[in-house]
Amino acid sequence: MSSATAVRRLNLLTRTIGTGTRIGSMKHRVTVIGSGNWGSAIAKIVAENTKANPDVFHEEVKMFVHSGPQNLTSIINCIHENPKYLPGITLPTNLFATPSLPDAVSEASVLIFNVPHQFVSSICRQINGSCLPYARAISCIKGVDVSPDGISLFSDTIGRKLGIYCGALSGANIASEVAAEKFSETTVAYAPPEGSTHDFPQGLTPVPEELPAVDHVLFRTLFHRPYFHVRVVSDVAGVSLGGALKNIVALAAGFVDGLEWGDNAKAAVMRVGLLEMRKFGKMFFSQSCRSATFTEESCGVADLITSCNGGRNHKCAMLSVRTGKSIETVESEELNGQKLQGTITAREVNVYLKNKGLEDEFPLFTAVYRILNGETKVESLPQLIETD
């Protein structure tokens, strides 16, 4: 952390304590960073719950919007709808869109990240020095952060770059269905090393005692709705990896459906994919990842089933095979400006596995990468994933 950033964070903490406006009120302020279809759906849930729990949260929720030529921020605040990414869904009147990241985060003690994972580093650079030093975060981002130094979770990346603790949320959650209040469930993972300096050399700034405790109960209160059931666990690695790696498997399922090979073939791909997801977690995050998370929680097998049948990665892979177009062309035609996370994750994971000499240990992940890269044909998938 630079000296200038440290001074800004100290000023924020001093201002908070000095005015008493936030600590004295004994309530958390919540900000959602991201306004795509999933970001808007989560913001809707959060705003409903802050209004329903005025003893714990300030009612107003801010949502950061990267406004384009149409000035999406003004449109959302005027009609209480996100017509670009979540048309036809009424957003709560206590949800306020803002195009300014510093304004969005400056008073928030709870930050919810919901942006495409390729923008995380840029977002954190813009936020650094503006967020409260005792803020806590939840990442809804589905991907892994690959660098020459290795592979890490985006929850860890956010925490490291901002000097705060970040948990994760992931589950069988198609945004349009959640926003329409069709029943679903999700998994929230939160296990901060309170008082520990292992992950943060300078230590975590404690949440002021006057504020409600930031724990499993608080996050269930913030996210649980009658139509959106929440289980809170401590396995941040398992929840994060489930959300990231299932997108690679969903591409494979889409390839299979594009060839019209039937349900048996797709089930086989999903079985192999689930095993590779669990193996990846235990191999590279052995100290924190629980195998049971992939089979018992919504973020694991449930999310895999949903993504392999109705998610955008499955859809674009299927249409790519059926039309003969590249998956990038299908993405641009079908997703209204949003991006596939599966293709990026597949390529990043392969870079890591190749550097480790472990491509053969993950035949499905490797096959998907090679199909995307034009190195092999979709029809070769059964042979590529066959093992002794």
Side-chain angles (χ1 to χ4, degrees), residues 58 61 85 94 297:
H58 284 276
V61 173
Y85 295 121
N94 60 314
E297 303 297 340

Side-chain angles (χ1 to χ4, degrees), residues 3-308:
S3 58
T5 298
V7 169
R8 288 196 299 270
R9 288 168 65 85
L10 179 61
N11 288 339
L12 280 169
L13 182 59
T14 303
R15 174 164 56 85
T16 303
I17 294 173
T19 61
T21 55
R22 285 182 290 280
I23 294 179
S25 62
M26 300 179 66
K27 298 179 184 180
H28 289 285
R29 291 185 185 272
V30 184
T31 285
V32 178
I33 301 166
S35 58
N37 59 355
W38 186 220
S40 297
I42 284 292
K44 173 180 178 291
I45 288 170
V46 167
E48 289 170 352
N49 280 331
T50 58
K51 187 172 184 177
N53 296 276
D55 55 329
V56 180
F57 303 106
H58 284 276
E59 183 175 321
E60 178 183 296
V61 173
K62 289 184 177 180
M63 177 174 70
F64 168 68
V65 178
H66 182 71
S67 286
Q70 293 181 313
N71 195 6
L72 187 58
T73 302
S74 298
I75 295 173
I76 291 173
N77 289 334
C78 180
I79 67 173
H80 303 294
E81 180 183 327
N82 187 338
K84 182 173 176 62
Y85 295 121
L86 206 61
I89 300 296
T90 300
L91 300 176
T93 56
N94 60 314
L95 177 64
F96 295 90
T98 174
S100 168
L101 262 175
D103 172 66
V105 306
S106 63
E107 297 184 338
S109 51
V110 178
L111 304 173
I112 302 167
F113 286 80
N114 208 326
V115 296
H117 77 252
Q118 59 267 34
F119 301 130
V120 171
S121 293
S122 172
I123 291 286
C124 287
R125 282 195 298 271
Q126 296 176 67
I127 289 174
N128 200 10
S130 296
C131 66
L132 294 171
Y134 57 80
R136 298 293 184 261
I138 292 291
S139 168
C140 303
I141 299 163
K142 299 190 174 183
V144 286
D145 191 8
V146 179
S147 72
D149 299 325
I151 190 166
S152 61
L153 311 174
F154 276 108
S155 54
D156 290 341
T157 299
I158 291 167
R160 185 173 62 253
K161 289 181 179 295
L162 299 181
I164 63 177
Y165 180 78
C166 184
L169 180 152
S170 187
N173 308 139
I174 294 177
S176 59
E177 294 183 8
V178 175
E181 301 187 4
K182 296 179 180 179
F183 170 66
S184 63
E185 59 180 3
T186 201
T187 314
V188 174
Y190 188 77
E194 299 290 359
S196 168
T197 59
H198 176 70
D199 293 321
F200 305 91
Q202 297 176 346
L204 281 174
T205 301
V207 176
E209 293 182 0
E210 293 84 354
L211 281 168
V214 183
D215 55 16
H216 285 195
V217 173
L218 182 124
F219 283 117
R220 189 178 187 280
T221 302
L222 184 60
F223 290 110
H224 188 89
R225 298 294 295 163
Y227 60 88
F228 190 68
H229 288 191
V230 173
R231 276 178 51 85
V232 188
V233 300
S234 298
D235 184 8
V236 178
V239 172
S240 299
L241 289 172
L245 300 176
K246 56 91 180 183
N247 285 329
I248 304 177
V249 187
L251 291 172
F255 294 148
V256 167
D257 278 344
L259 292 171
E260 299 184 352
W261 279 357
D263 293 336
N264 293 338
K266 185 159 69 172
V269 164
M270 291 168 64
R271 183 194 68 83
V272 174
L274 181 62
L275 291 177
E276 291 192 16
M277 288 166 58
R278 188 174 65 177
K279 182 177 182 179
F280 192 96
K282 295 303 292 182
M283 183 175 291
F284 301 118
F285 296 88
S286 59
Q287 293 184 342
S288 57
C289 186
R290 294 178 63 249
S291 292
T293 299
F294 295 100
T295 55
E296 296 177 1
E297 303 297 340
S298 179
C299 62
V301 65
D303 194 8
L304 180 65
I305 292 169
T306 293
S307 298
C308 289

Side-chain angles (χ1 to χ4, degrees), residues 248-262 265-266 269 313-314 316-327 363-364 366-386:
I248 304 177
V249 187
L251 291 172
F255 294 148
V256 167
D257 278 344
L259 292 171
E260 299 184 352
W261 279 357
K266 185 159 69 172
V269 164
N313 292 281
H314 167 268
C316 288
M318 179 181 66
L319 291 176
S320 175
V321 173
R322 288 183 178 176
T323 63
K325 298 177 182 178
S326 71
I327 198 165
L364 181 66
T366 301
V368 170
Y369 165 77
R370 290 176 178 169
I371 291 169
L372 292 173
N373 215 34
E375 297 177 20
T376 190
K377 295 184 180 295
V378 175
E379 291 82 359
S380 301
L381 189 59
Q383 291 73 42
L384 294 172
I385 66 174
E386 186 175 15

